[in-house]
Amino acid sequence: MDLADVIAGRGPSPSLVLSLLQRLPDTSLTVALASGGREFFGWGQDRHLAADLFDALNTNTRATGQWGKGKAPKIPEYPRPKPKAKKKAGKRPASVAEIYKRFAGR
């Protein structure tokens, strides 16, 4: 079965595909790509919470430490993935009919 079959309605039902996608773990590549790119791969809720906890502990240490006036150390944040820049808004996404034409011509 190829994409043309799915577009023509001979594939799995959309509700089945949607329910399977919703059950993917938050660390999957599909969820990462939907979140902004491959750099989010492996970044589930637990990893985001651990990074936030790391930053909160460092902020608390910096705020409550016995530093001299203006001598508090700069503690770097936990490295997080950065979303890629948005693409130009001038090009519109392809419609289902255009996608079908691309694959039906083969």
Side-chain angles (χ1 to χ4, degrees), residues 1-2 4-5 15 37-38 41-42 49 51-52 66 69-70 75 81 84 103-105:
M1 178 181 310
D2 61 353
D5 289 334
S15 60
R38 285 188 175 271
F41 182 60
L49 286 172
D52 290 340
Q66 298 293 322
K69 185 169 183 159
I75 303 171
K84 293 180 182 176
F103 284 98

Side-chain angles (χ1 to χ4, degrees), residues 2-38:
D2 61 353
L3 187 59
D5 289 334
V6 173
I7 292 172
R10 294 185 291 268
S13 69
S15 60
L16 173 65
V17 173
L18 184 61
S19 65
L20 291 174
L21 284 174
Q22 288 174 341
R23 297 190 68 167
L24 286 173
D26 59 352
T27 56
S28 69
L29 183 58
T30 303
V31 173
L33 293 174
S35 298
R38 285 188 175 271

Side-chain angles (χ1 to χ4, degrees), residues 44-98:
Q45 283 183 335
D46 57 339
R47 192 154 179 194
H48 282 285
L49 286 172
D52 290 340
L53 181 61
F54 179 86
D55 291 340
L57 288 171
N58 284 338
T59 302
N60 186 41
T61 301
R62 188 172 191 271
T64 60
Q66 298 293 322
W67 321 111
K69 185 169 183 159
K71 304 269 187 187
K74 175 66 175 137
I75 303 171
E77 291 185 346
Y78 194 86
R80 291 176 172 81
K82 305 268 190 275
K84 293 180 182 176
K86 297 276 185 181
K87 294 181 182 177
K88 289 184 177 180
K91 187 176 180 183
R92 63 184 185 98
S95 68
V96 174
E98 292 168 351

